[in-house]
């Protein structure tokens, strides 16, 4: 489609626009237009045959705030009313998700904030947040389970046997065997029952291995739940 430059007075906001940008976010949008006006041509406002906006209502509002007399548009002339409604919604749907690790390592956080991306901060996490983390807790019963009930090891043993037969370096074999334990299916309710009947030394090992978690803060301190710079991941 051809990109056109038209008088801003000719473009009409869409009364059905379902997405708003307000307050600080809107100020950042205005600021971005002032600092990077070329973006308007690279991403023109989409309008229908009547010059009603299908995509870019907030950009149009920001352009008026800046005082622009002209804007770049592309005109979608052949859409049905149903297609227009579909476009309005889909244009505002945020498909995909941010890779916060890449943003943290490859991008400047201050610039990201200036450009309108709200970067989560884990230093805002307070004590109450720790108890909002969903961690399974079990009330031990009076029954002591058999050791074989604590975990399903068949898949892990199968993988370890395959790894042991490989003719590879000892260090690599150790790494692969350690990874094989990932496939162990633990029965944590049975583990809680078993743990409650053990002596102090055994209990300490269970706790160090994260087989039981007595409090959310313990999970954080011991690394069973990790906090990155930008997002809380379980």
């Amino acid at each position: 489609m051809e990109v056109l430059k038209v008088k801003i007075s000719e473009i009409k906001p869409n009364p059905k626009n379902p997405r708003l940008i307000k307050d600080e976010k809107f100020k950042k949008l205005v600021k971005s237009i002032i600092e990077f006006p070329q973006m308007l041509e690279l991403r023109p406002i989409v309008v229908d045959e009547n010059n009603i906006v299908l995509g870019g209502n907030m950009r149009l509002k920001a352009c008026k705030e800046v005082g622009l007399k002209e804007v770049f548009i592309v005109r979608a002339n052949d859409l049905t009313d149903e297609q227009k409604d579909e476009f309005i919604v889909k244009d505002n749907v945020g498909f995909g998700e941010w890779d916060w690790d890449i943003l943290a390592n490859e991008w400047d956080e201050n610039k990201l904030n200036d450009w309108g991306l709200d970067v989560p901060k884990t230093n805002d996490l307070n004590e109450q947040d720790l108890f909002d983390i969903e961690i399974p807790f079990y009330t031990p019963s009076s029954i002591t389970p058999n050791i074989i009930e604590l975990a399903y090891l068949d898949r892990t043993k199968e993988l370890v046997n395959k790894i042991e037969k490989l003719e590879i370096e000892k260090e690599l074999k150790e790494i692969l065997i350690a990874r094989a334990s990932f496939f162990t299916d633990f029965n944590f309710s049975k583990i809680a029952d078993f743990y409650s009947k053990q002596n102090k030394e055994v209990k300490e090992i269970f706790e160090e291995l994260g087989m039981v978690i007595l409090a959310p803060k313990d999970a954080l301190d011991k690394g069973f739940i990790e906090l990155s710079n930008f997002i809380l991941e379980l």
Side-chain angles (χ1 to χ4, degrees), residues 30-214:
V30 171
K31 183 172 181 283
S32 72
I33 290 174
I34 294 172
E35 295 179 349
F36 189 20
Q38 296 92 333
M39 187 77 177
L40 294 173
E41 184 174 3
L42 296 171
R43 194 181 178 197
I45 295 169
V46 181
V47 302
D48 67 8
E49 67 278 5
N50 298 311
N51 280 350
I52 296 175
V53 176
L54 300 178
N57 275 279
M58 291 298 98
R59 272 177 284 148
L60 176 63
K61 182 179 178 181
C63 288
K64 290 180 178 179
E65 182 79 12
V66 171
L68 298 183
K69 302 301 182 184
E70 296 178 313
V71 290
F72 292 95
I73 66 164
V74 291
R75 189 173 282 115
N77 293 318
D78 301 320
L79 298 181
T80 65
D81 288 343
E82 183 177 351
Q83 287 174 324
K84 290 177 184 179
D85 289 345
E86 183 177 354
F87 181 90
I88 290 169
V89 173
K90 286 186 174 180
D91 185 58
N92 286 293
V93 171
F95 292 105
E97 59 186 43
W98 295 107
D99 188 318
W100 297 108
D101 287 335
I102 291 178
L103 287 172
N105 294 320
E106 304 294 336
W107 296 76
D108 183 285
E109 182 180 345
N110 292 327
K111 288 184 178 179
L112 292 174
N113 281 312
D114 284 344
W115 296 340
L117 178 60
D118 289 330
V119 180
K121 297 180 182 295
T122 57
N123 57 4
D124 294 332
L125 191 69
N126 58 38
E127 190 71 17
Q128 181 58 43
D129 293 326
L130 297 176
F131 294 91
D132 291 336
I133 298 170
E134 293 186 6
I135 298 175
F137 287 90
Y138 302 99
T139 302
S141 71
S142 59
I143 301 173
T144 302
N146 294 322
I147 292 176
I148 60 173
E149 296 181 89
L150 303 185
Y152 180 75
L153 295 169
D154 287 9
R155 178 58 175 157
T156 301
K157 289 179 178 179
E158 178 186 342
L159 290 169
V160 170
N161 288 335
K162 288 183 178 181
I163 295 166
E164 290 285 9
K165 294 176 183 179
L166 296 176
E167 296 182 1
I168 56 177
E169 295 87 343
K170 177 184 175 182
E171 291 80 6
L172 177 56
K173 186 173 292 189
E174 290 174 348
I175 291 172
L176 295 178
I177 289 174
R179 177 59 178 171
S181 65
F182 174 81
F183 293 89
T184 300
D185 185 11
F186 292 99
N187 187 333
F188 288 101
S189 63
K190 296 289 185 181
I191 288 172
D193 292 339
F194 185 86
Y195 163 87
S196 66
K197 316 298 188 304
Q198 303 307 303
N199 61 39
K200 179 182 177 182
E201 288 77 13
V202 173
K203 285 184 175 180
E204 288 178 351
I205 291 296
F206 270 57
E207 292 166 17
E208 286 297 318
L209 292 174
M211 296 178 74
V212 293
I213 296 174
L214 303 181

